[in-house]
Amino acid sequence: MTRMTSWVVSANTADTHFPLNNLPYGVFSTNGTDPRCGVAIGDMILDMAAVEAAGLVTLDEDAAFDLPFWNDVMELGPEVWSKLRARLIELLSEGAAEQDAVAPHLVPQADAEMHMPMLVSEYTDFYAGKHHAMNVGTMFRGPEHALPPNWLHIPIGYNGRASSVVVSGTDIARPNGQTKAPDADAPSFGPCKRLDIELEMGAIVGTTTELGQPITVAEADQMIFGYVLLNDWSARDIQAWEYQPLGPFQAKAFATSISPWIVTRAALEPFRTSTPEREKDLLPYLQEPGPMLYDIDLEITMAPAGKAATTIARTNYSQMYYSAAQQLAHHASSGCPMTAGDLLGSGTISGPEKAERGSLLELSWGGKEPLTLDTGETRTFIEDGDTLTLTGAARGDGYQIGFGTCVGTITPAVTFP
Ligand code: MN
């Protein structure tokens, strides 16, 4: 696959995240106007509400683009998604007959404020990266018992909070919570002291299943509308005290950040890759009929307040042991209904090498091996004022399918009586 050429010239460079091949979906506003649907192309946004009003794009259905979410479009299903993408490619391709009609509806990204791209109906987070699970398990339980006995058979997950999923750029207050130091007699309450990130991909479910209706992995794959970068902020000291026996709760509930642009499954199609070789055969309902991961380069940077950013890790989404389609099939296997706007966190994405670890817990090995940033500061966990940025792109021949960035700055904990 090579780069497609657009009459929007900024879309035709090798380093743009948003060539014509990508066309990710977001929600934006300018100068206090109402948030509405938009499509990224080069350094511009195509105002979908405006092109719809001009009669240039019609969905033939009861969905509209002058809304602050893409959920209605998602619910129309994969055939409509394909038609919409084909029409956008037609309108934005070099030599398009409609160029003069479309051009007035482009807005510079630099002038836009980005909002949540969809209403998050539910949020589930998984634990499906083997290098991450091995690292964390080794720290907490030792190398012999690093992987729980179910890990190679089930994509382990927990039900998270949709209410605290926020768009990139939203400041995150350091959470308060209950913790207990190993040598303390009693727990105490106060600001988290071991605040961390988790580098993940978020899969966005676009269609619905009924209560009681299981789905195959192939059907699950077809239900995925697109992917975003996801930072599953984690309070490690709160997590360590609360997590047994029912898993993480307040340690994860305070915030999850996502990147503003939903990169569609169609745009990622040339970058499909297989999950690693199975160490134990999966039960038939979890077996994949084809490659369902994607080759997406990922990176984390950390910047102290007012200082330059340092890249602290680089990894790839193809390191996951389970795909989003497998996670979705597992999620529906009990009969749990899935809805448009369901968000599935992949689990922390770590590679085999130290520089490929997707959390500070792993990078600093539980706080024992501080990182030195390019600016000279050292870090084990996140300090107030630090900005953490995730970025990612699938690299093609002279182009990339980029995700933009997922950014969050930590502000001091609120005072608690
Ligand atoms: Mn997570």
Side-chain angles (χ1 to χ4, degrees):
M1 189 80 176
T2 52
R3 177 172 52 75
M4 298 155 69
T5 308
S6 172
W7 53 263
V8 181
V9 291
S10 61
N12 299 332
T13 64
D15 62 344
T16 181
H17 271 206
F18 309 120
L20 184 57
N21 306 57
N22 193 346
L23 301 178
Y25 300 145
V27 168
F28 76 103
S29 63
T30 46
N31 284 327
T33 54
D34 288 338
R36 55 202 184 273
C37 293
V39 177
I41 176 80
D43 58 10
M44 307 295 278
I45 299 171
L46 181 63
D47 182 336
M48 290 302 295
V51 294
E52 181 180 54
L56 291 160
V57 172
T58 48
L59 285 173
D60 312 320
E61 305 277 350
D62 291 334
F65 294 109
D66 60 346
L67 298 171
F69 47 77
W70 280 84
N71 300 59
D72 287 10
V73 176
M74 292 181 204
E75 286 182 43
L76 298 176
E79 270 180 48
V80 174
W81 308 343
S82 297
K83 271 201 267 180
L84 173 60
R85 180 173 170 81
R87 179 60 175 158
L88 290 169
I89 289 171
E90 184 176 50
L91 291 177
L92 293 167
S93 287
E94 187 176 55
E98 299 90 343
Q99 176 176 344
D100 290 347
V102 173
H105 306 305
L106 291 170
V107 176
Q109 283 174 30
D111 296 347
E113 180 187 350
M114 298 306 298
H115 304 269
M116 280 291 291
M118 81 285 196
L119 300 169
V120 180
S121 55
E122 314 245 10
Y123 167 49
T124 309
D125 191 40
F126 287 86
Y127 185 60
K130 185 159 175 247
H131 301 292
H132 172 71
M134 285 296 292
N135 285 337
V136 173
T138 300
M139 271 184 264
F140 290 171
R141 290 181 294 275
E144 312 253 303
H145 305 286
L147 279 190
N150 53 6
W151 202 93
L152 292 170
H153 303 278
I154 296 177
I156 296 173
Y158 64 92
N159 288 304
R161 290 293 302 177
S163 62
S164 55
V165 180
V166 297
V167 73
S168 171
T170 306
D171 286 349
I172 308 295
R174 178 178 298 273
N176 286 298
Q178 188 178 134
T179 58
K180 184 182 159 307
D183 53 355
D185 293 334
S188 59
F189 188 90
C192 164
K193 293 189 182 74
R194 287 159 72 93
L195 183 57
D196 200 355
I197 53 165
E198 289 192 339
L199 166 63
E200 304 192 20
M201 297 295 300
I204 295 162
V205 178
T207 57
T208 296
T209 61
E210 299 297 320
L211 181 71
Q213 177 201 340
I215 49 173
T216 66
V217 175
E219 287 167 335
D221 183 64
Q222 293 301 304
M223 288 176 63
I224 296 171
F225 183 67
Y227 292 83
V228 290
L229 303 168
L230 184 148
N231 185 349
D232 176 26
W233 302 96
S234 299
R236 299 300 182 194
D237 45 355
I238 298 171
Q239 186 177 358
W241 173 231
E242 76 176 3
Y243 90 104
Q244 288 178 323
L246 288 184
F249 188 44
Q250 295 309 298
K252 305 279 195 170
F254 62 96
T256 303
S257 299
I258 64 168
S259 53
W261 294 107
I262 303 172
V263 174
T264 61
R265 184 162 48 79
L268 290 169
E269 209 55 40
F271 303 96
R272 273 189 190 262
T273 184
S274 297
T275 44
E277 196 182 333
R278 302 294 92 180
E279 295 177 35
K280 305 250 182 188
D281 285 343
L282 292 173
L283 292 170
Y285 83 102
L286 282 174
Q287 288 172 8
E288 290 173 301
M292 297 208 170
L293 278 182
Y294 298 92
D295 178 0
I296 300 169
D297 288 333
L298 300 165
E299 189 175 308
I300 310 170
T301 71
M302 186 174 205
K307 300 211 170 162
T310 299
T311 298
I312 58 171
R314 286 193 177 91
T315 185
N316 192 290
Y317 182 47
S318 62
Q319 295 287 352
M320 300 311 289
Y321 192 80
Y322 295 101
S323 65
Q326 284 174 312
Q327 293 170 334
L328 180 53
H330 181 63
H331 211 325
S333 63
S334 63
C336 173
M338 305 307 297
T339 58
D342 248 303
L343 177 64
L344 308 184
S346 60
T348 309
I349 306 165
S350 293
E353 304 300 325
K354 182 167 183 182
E356 299 172 346
R357 296 174 183 167
S359 68
L360 289 165
L361 178 69
E362 295 163 88
L363 287 162
S364 73
W365 206 252
K368 291 185 189 133
E369 300 172 13
L371 312 181
T372 302
L373 305 179
D374 296 345
T375 49
E377 280 91 345
T378 58
R379 286 289 185 279
T380 49
F381 293 95
I382 305 171
E383 297 189 8
D384 290 348
D386 287 351
T387 297
L388 279 298
T389 301
L390 313 182
T391 187
R395 319 266 182 211
D397 180 11
Y399 77 103
Q400 53 188 347
I401 300 295
F403 285 77
T405 55
C406 179
V407 186
T409 298
I410 297 300
T411 59
V414 296
T415 359
F416 203 92

